[in-house]
């Protein structure tokens, strides 16, 4: 079945460091891929998405490229800020029949950025 | 402002009681979803609905029930049959159930059952 695997956290970085959070997926066909962010005690917010191979999603300095050949969608940011501290979820949108449109999530990666 | 509201933010119940979590959206979205989040876990789908008066079970529907009598409302009832109901519950909606459409999430309800 479809699944998402993302790197385990927590990830602790200093301000202005480079961030990579790895995400790989297993799916048939060409699912859409998403990154969501969750701040403490809140719901999820869409960070970026990509709907086809080689698409690059970007928002607020974050970016991720849909790599069909490596089934990956790694999240990157060149210079993190303390305000980026949150939990990040990678997700794919199921394509299969009756489940189409349902999201399958990774377990989340907690990021802490120190000043 | 368009969005999804969930109420209450915190809910406490005694074991054996049913409890209903509210979810309302004014985005005019057709599809709505309920997820459960446990510490260190991703989100797991409980129920989803594509249109009014129609809904389907997700991956962990046992012990839960839903209704969709209005487009904007999708309440979730956690019944006494749910063995481990303490969790963070998130409601979401999307324009339609297609793979390219993102889901928008509410702020969540934290349910504690003792």
């Amino acid at each position: 079945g479809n699944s998402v695997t993302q790197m385990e956290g927590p990830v602790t970085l200093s301000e202005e460091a480079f961030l990579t959070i790895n995400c790989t997926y297993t799916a048939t066909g060409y699912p859409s891929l998403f990154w969501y962010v969750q701040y403490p005690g809140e719901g999820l917010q869409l960070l970026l998405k990509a709907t086809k191979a080689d698409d690059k999603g970007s928002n607020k300095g974050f970016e991720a490229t849909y790599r069909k050949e490596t089934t990956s969608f790694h999240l990157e940011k060149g210079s993190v800020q303390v305000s980026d501290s949150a939990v990040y979820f990678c997700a794919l949108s199921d394509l299969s029949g009756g489940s189409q449109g349902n999201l399958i999530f990774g377990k989340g990666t907690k990021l802490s950025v120190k000043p | 402002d368009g969005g999804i509201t969930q109420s209450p933010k915190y809910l406490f119940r005694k074991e054996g009681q049913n409890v209903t979590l509210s979810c309302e959206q004014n985005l005019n979205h057709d599809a709505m979803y309920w997820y459960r989040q446990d510490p260190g876990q991703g989100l797991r789908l409980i129920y989803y609905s594509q249109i009014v008066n129609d809904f389907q079970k997700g991956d962990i529907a046992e012990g839960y029930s839903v209704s969709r009598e209005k487009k904007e409302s999708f309440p979730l009832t956690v019944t006494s049959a749910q063995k481990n109901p303490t969790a963070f519950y998130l409601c979401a909606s999307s324009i339609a159930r297609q793979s390219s459409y993102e889901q928008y999430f509410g702020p969540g309800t934290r349910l504690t059952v003792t």
Side-chain angles (χ1 to χ4, degrees), chain A residues 1 5 15 20 27 39 41 48 73 82 91 95-96 98 102:
Chain A
T5 302
E15 207 164 22
T20 299
Y39 298 100
L48 53 84
F73 193 53
V82 172
L95 289 174
S96 50
N102 292 348

Side-chain angles (χ1 to χ4, degrees), chain A residues 4-8 11 19-25 35 72-76 88 90 109:
Chain A
V4 174
T5 302
Q6 58 182 108
M7 62 187 286
E8 290 192 20
V11 174
L19 168 70
T20 299
I21 300 178
N22 290 337
C23 171
T24 57
Y25 67 90
W35 276 102
S72 65
F73 193 53
H74 304 321
L75 182 69
E76 296 182 333
Y88 292 82
C90 184
T109 302

Side-chain angles (χ1 to χ4, degrees), chain A residues 1 11 19 29 32 48 52 54 70-71 73 84 86-87 89 92 95 98-99 109:
Chain A
V11 174
L19 168 70
S32 294
L48 53 84
K52 60 184 188 295
D54 300 324
T70 55
T71 62
F73 193 53
D84 293 326
V87 180
F89 291 92
L92 70 80
L95 289 174
S99 300
T109 302

Side-chain angles (χ1 to χ4, degrees), chain A residues 30-32 34 36 38 41-46 49 51 87 89 93-95 97-103 105-108, chain B residues 9-10 33 35 37 40-45 48 56 88 90 94 96-108 110:
Chain A
Y30 294 85
S32 294
F34 305 86
Y36 282 87
Q38 185 179 35
E42 297 183 8
L44 276 67
Q45 300 174 25
L46 178 68
K49 73 174 188 179
T51 57
V87 180
F89 291 92
S93 185
D94 204 331
L95 289 174
S99 300
Q100 187 182 55
N102 292 348
L103 291 180
F105 286 87
K107 291 188 176 183
Chain B
K9 190 169 179 63
Y10 299 95
Y33 309 80
Y35 293 91
Q37 185 179 21
Q41 299 294 316
L43 279 67
R44 293 182 290 169
L45 183 64
Y48 58 97
Q56 286 79 41
F88 191 49
L90 288 158
S94 64
R97 280 189 59 240
Q98 294 184 25
S99 64
S100 60
Y101 291 138
E102 59 266 32
Q103 293 181 18
Y104 295 83
F105 284 80
R110 187 167 298 281

Side-chain angles (χ1 to χ4, degrees), chain B residues 15-95:
Chain B
E15 203 172 301
Q17 294 178 335
N18 291 355
V19 59
T20 297
L21 282 59
S22 167
C23 176
E24 304 276 334
Q25 55 98 358
N26 61 4
L27 300 167
N28 200 31
H29 285 175
D30 284 323
M32 296 187 74
Y33 309 80
W34 274 105
Y35 293 91
R36 171 183 172 133
Q37 185 179 21
D38 294 286
Q41 299 294 316
L43 279 67
R44 293 182 290 169
L45 183 64
I46 304 173
Y47 267 97
Y48 58 97
S49 168
Q50 185 173 4
I51 56 172
V52 173
N53 292 324
D54 186 53
F55 47 83
Q56 286 79 41
K57 294 180 180 180
D59 300 319
I60 55 165
E62 186 175 348
Y64 300 97
S65 66
V66 294
S67 62
R68 187 88 187 275
E69 296 176 1
K70 298 185 295 182
K71 185 175 183 177
E72 59 270 21
S73 179
F74 191 41
L76 173 75
T77 297
V78 184
T79 75
S80 56
Q82 168 49 232
K83 291 187 173 62
N84 297 297
T86 295
F88 191 49
Y89 290 88
L90 288 158
C91 179
S93 71
S94 64
I95 295 174

